[in-house]
Amino acid sequence: MKKLGIIGCGWLGIHIAERLSDRYEIFVTTTTESKIGALESKGFHTTLMNFSDTLDFQIKEWNVASDLDAIIICVPFSGLRGSQIPMNGKRQNLLNFLGDYKGQLFLMSSTGVYPQAEKEFVEEDQPTKQVESEQFILEKFPQTNILRFGGLMGGERLLKNYNISNLEQLVNHIHYVDICSVVEKMLENQSQSKVYNVVAPFHPNKEEVINAQKNLPYEGERATMGRTISPEKIIKELDFEFQYPDPRYFHVDK
């Protein structure tokens, strides 16, 4: 059985691990000691590891890294919407933890790397060399796949459950089921050095989404302009079909 590492096994990491656990032996890290029991009860080999913002010379290479076929990094390395905040120590701690890893590697990034502008953004609009929170790992591990996620949704994470402002804004959301499918397909393809927007292809506004999730009609005008992130590259290159293409229906089980 192949072996998969997930660094930072929180909400998203657990979904990915559960999806792949029938084909991979799963090794994970968590920052919270109280979560170790729950993770190990799922059959995951668990390491307690916190990547602090300051350089920690005690962090050595993950003792299982050389045995892993792939590693997925779910630890955030940028601020909100890609804001530039000092993370050099945290990033170096991660690089030290990875050691001289040669296998397939994924960094979970965010569509927050794109500017606030009313246009449709594609990957080439923001090259990785201009994104500090992505470039730091590519310099040492050029094989890294960069996945830029929209707002993480699905399950208990639905827009209707939050106190939302700016209801007229278009959304760039992604259901965790589709994230798992993207990762699964890229693992199968042995993808390397790819940069993809992972965002549902439909972009209704927030009010449309909330009303649909509350089974209420939407009587406003449908916005056609706004800041949207295009998933066309991943659709084309991976021949990918979204199970949840429309955020209005993320609450509907499929």
Side-chain angles (χ1 to χ4, degrees), residues 77-79 81-84 91 107 109-115 123-139 146 148 195:
F77 286 94
S78 64
R81 293 209 178 278
S83 61
Q84 298 299 319
R91 292 168 184 160
L107 178 69
S109 185
S110 165
T111 56
V113 303
Y114 298 108
E123 290 83 351
E124 291 73 21
D125 289 325
Q126 194 67 288
T128 55
K129 63 183 179 182
Q130 297 178 12
V131 182
E132 187 181 6
S133 59
E134 297 173 353
Q135 180 60 20
F136 85 97
I137 196 167
L138 289 167
E139 289 176 352
I146 306 292
R148 295 171 175 172
V195 181

Side-chain angles (χ1 to χ4, degrees), residues 5-120:
I6 299 177
I7 297 177
C9 193
W11 181 83
L12 177 59
I14 288 174
H15 280 301
I16 294 171
E18 289 178 339
R19 171 74 166 265
L20 297 169
S21 61
D22 62 334
R23 284 152 289 167
Y24 288 84
E25 188 176 358
I26 305 293
F27 296 78
V28 305
T29 76
T30 179
T31 61
T32 308
E33 190 169 2
S34 61
K35 291 182 178 179
I36 292 176
L39 291 168
E40 291 186 339
S41 72
K42 296 177 182 290
F44 308 154
H45 307 280
T46 307
T47 299
L48 186 66
M49 175 56 62
N50 182 30
F51 298 97
S52 65
D53 292 336
T54 56
L55 185 59
D56 184 350
F57 293 100
Q58 300 300 314
I59 294 179
K60 306 299 181 184
E61 181 179 354
W62 197 5
N63 62 347
V64 299
S66 61
D67 296 326
L68 301 176
D69 296 282
I71 295 177
I72 298 170
I73 302 164
C74 293
V75 178
F77 286 94
S78 64
L80 183 64
R81 293 209 178 278
S83 61
Q84 298 299 319
I85 57 178
M87 285 195 175
N88 289 340
K90 184 176 183 180
R91 292 168 184 160
Q92 188 59 51
N93 289 336
L94 173 70
L95 296 178
N96 292 344
F97 192 62
L98 290 171
D100 192 29
Y101 184 68
K102 301 297 186 185
Q104 195 178 14
L105 194 58
F106 295 79
L107 178 69
M108 304 323 203
S109 185
S110 165
T111 56
V113 303
Y114 298 108
Q116 288 299 305
E118 291 201 354
K119 62 165 287 185
E120 181 181 61

Side-chain angles (χ1 to χ4, degrees), residues 166-228:
N166 301 318
L167 294 177
E168 75 287 350
Q169 285 185 350
L170 303 185
V171 302
N172 294 283
H173 289 169
I174 182 67
H175 197 290
Y176 72 81
V177 166
D178 286 316
I179 292 176
C180 292
S181 296
V182 167
V183 171
E184 184 177 41
K185 198 157 193 176
M186 293 181 72
L187 286 168
E188 291 172 356
N189 292 352
Q190 287 293 303
S191 301
Q192 296 210 2
S193 306
K194 298 293 186 181
V195 181
Y196 289 131
N197 295 330
V198 186
V199 181
F202 290 96
H203 307 279
N205 70 33
K206 294 178 183 179
E207 187 175 2
E208 287 181 88
V209 174
I210 292 169
N211 284 21
Q213 292 175 354
K214 291 182 175 180
N215 295 314
L216 297 173
Y218 174 71
E219 298 176 351
E221 291 186 10
R222 184 76 197 274
T224 57
M225 284 294 295
R227 177 182 179 273
T228 60

